[in-house]
Amino acid sequence: MGDIKTVVDSINHDIEIEFDDEKQVQIIYDAVLLEFETSPDYRSSMDIELDGKSILIHINANDATSYRASINSAIKWIRLSLEVNNLTI
């Protein structure tokens, strides 16, 4: 059988992460904002914004590999911030 190839010009995806309350979401947002603003953007870019009790992450990637790397980075930053925040509660 021949190889099946899929051509992807770009991937644009929005992710919403909902938190328990607005205080918690503000703390996490403030903790990760600098990471989002300073992350290298060779093949992808990410923006983050607050929306009530949610953080919205906008990802624009040139390919699936850079898309996956962006998601992994965003999850890592948010998860670490949550863990540190939970230690201080």
Side-chain angles (χ1 to χ4, degrees), residues 21-35:
D21 58 59
E22 289 184 12
K23 182 180 177 184
Q24 181 186 39
V25 74
Q26 185 68 53
I27 291 168
I28 301 306
Y29 175 83
D30 290 343
V32 299
L33 181 60
L34 186 60
E35 297 293 344

Side-chain angles (χ1 to χ4, degrees), residues 1-71:
M1 290 186 107
D3 292 333
I4 298 175
K5 294 185 179 184
T6 303
V7 177
V8 175
D9 290 333
S10 66
I11 299 171
N12 300 310
H13 192 206
D14 295 334
I15 299 169
E16 179 178 1
I17 302 172
E18 189 173 337
F19 292 83
D20 293 334
D21 58 59
E22 289 184 12
K23 182 180 177 184
Q24 181 186 39
V25 74
Q26 185 68 53
I27 291 168
I28 301 306
Y29 175 83
D30 290 343
V32 299
L33 181 60
L34 186 60
E35 297 293 344
F36 279 85
E37 291 178 342
T38 61
S39 65
D41 60 357
Y42 307 112
R43 294 179 11 219
S44 67
S45 64
M46 290 188 290
D47 296 312
I48 184 173
E49 67 178 279
L50 278 175
D51 183 25
K53 294 193 299 184
S54 297
I55 287 179
L56 303 176
I57 302 168
H58 310 286
I59 300 174
N60 298 307
N62 294 345
D63 54 61
T65 301
S66 58
Y67 172 71
R68 186 192 63 208
S70 294
I71 289 177

